[in-house]
Amino acid sequence: MAKIGLFFGSNTGKTRKVAKSIKKRFDDETMSDAVNVNRVSAEDFAQYQFLILGTPTLGDGELPGLSTDCESESWEEFLPKIEGLDFSGKTVALFGLGDQVGYPDNYLDAMGELSEFFASRGAKLVGAWPTDGYEFESSTAVVDGKFVGLALDLDNQSGKTDERVAAWLAQIAPEFGLSL
Ligand SMILES: Cc1cc2nc3c(=O)[nH]c(=O)nc-3n(C[C@H](O)[C@H](O)[C@H](O)COP(=O)(O)O)c2cc1C
């Protein structure tokens, strides 16, 4: 089993694309394949001490899933399967995709929801990211003036994605015992 589990939800494939680009930077011993959360069991998910998790925000600030018109299940359906688990001793880093121009009042809210979910079950959240360079009105993914994880916007700032991902991975590397 790889050291770090890499899981994502995605509707139109952008979050999948970013997850796969993260996996490409690491060997199989270090990082699992990028796997859609609708393909993992709660048991397998719970085996990882280190997790990198990605989500888009859909609807009006919601997690992806059947109620936001995704074609298949996603985080909305997966979280209830792991809601009874204790994540104490585990380290979680989040990345979120959203559209700060189209949805400025709910930018990346789903990342905020994932953060609350895992933090309230004992996980250590790492990878907080500055809000400089983004323009939006409000986001539940901002806590104490920073995003709770990596903030991406492939709808409006796709050219910044690679650079942001690389800087963020370098930032979280020590927390995951990685050398980059
Ligand atoms: C119907 C719909 C609702 C959306 N709602 C939000 C939202 O509330 N907040 C936000 O930041 N982005 C929102 N977005 C933008 C998506 O999060 C963004 O396009 C994302 O990159 C999609 O990722 P995916 O291709 O992995 O599904 C919405 C997009 C759609 C199509």
Side-chain angles (χ1 to χ4, degrees):
M1 192 182 89
K3 180 176 181 183
I4 302 169
L6 174 59
F7 299 98
F8 64 89
S10 189
N11 187 31
T12 56
K14 295 192 185 93
T15 313
R16 172 186 289 110
K17 191 176 145 201
V18 173
K20 286 191 182 290
S21 82
I22 290 174
K23 162 59 187 168
K24 270 193 186 159
R25 297 165 192 257
F26 299 93
D27 61 26
D28 291 343
E29 247 174 61
T30 306
M31 188 87 62
S32 75
D33 280 338
V35 175
N36 194 311
V37 278
N38 61 24
R39 293 180 169 209
V40 66
S41 66
E43 202 179 24
D44 287 348
F45 187 90
Q47 282 181 4
Y48 291 96
Q49 186 191 344
F50 298 103
L51 290 159
I52 295 181
L53 308 175
T55 188
T57 297
L58 295 175
D60 280 327
E62 288 156 65
L63 288 169
L66 298 179
S67 71
T68 51
D69 292 336
C70 291
E71 281 185 17
S72 45
E73 294 188 350
S74 192
W75 284 114
E76 180 192 5
E77 291 76 20
F78 184 67
L79 291 187
K81 295 180 188 168
I82 57 167
E83 66 185 353
L85 299 184
D86 179 10
F87 285 87
S88 302
K90 295 180 188 284
T91 301
V92 174
L94 302 173
F95 65 96
L97 275 73
D99 172 354
Q100 64 198 290
V101 175
Y103 300 88
D105 296 326
N106 304 93
Y107 180 50
L108 300 181
D109 277 7
M111 181 164 75
E113 203 170 324
L114 285 190
S115 169
E116 256 189 61
F117 181 92
F118 288 101
S120 67
R121 287 165 178 78
K124 178 183 180 190
L125 272 292
V126 299
W129 189 250
T131 56
D132 308 333
Y134 302 83
E135 275 188 47
F136 59 97
E137 292 299 322
S138 77
S139 171
T140 59
V142 175
V143 175
D144 296 335
K146 279 189 156 190
F147 289 113
V148 293
L150 175 63
L152 297 173
D153 183 342
L154 273 69
D155 295 281
N156 306 290
Q157 300 177 328
S158 62
K160 294 192 173 173
T161 304
D162 286 350
E163 168 194 327
R164 284 171 171 168
V165 168
W168 182 70
L169 287 172
Q171 180 188 313
I172 65 172
E175 306 276 3
F176 283 77
L178 297 176
S179 53
L180 282 178

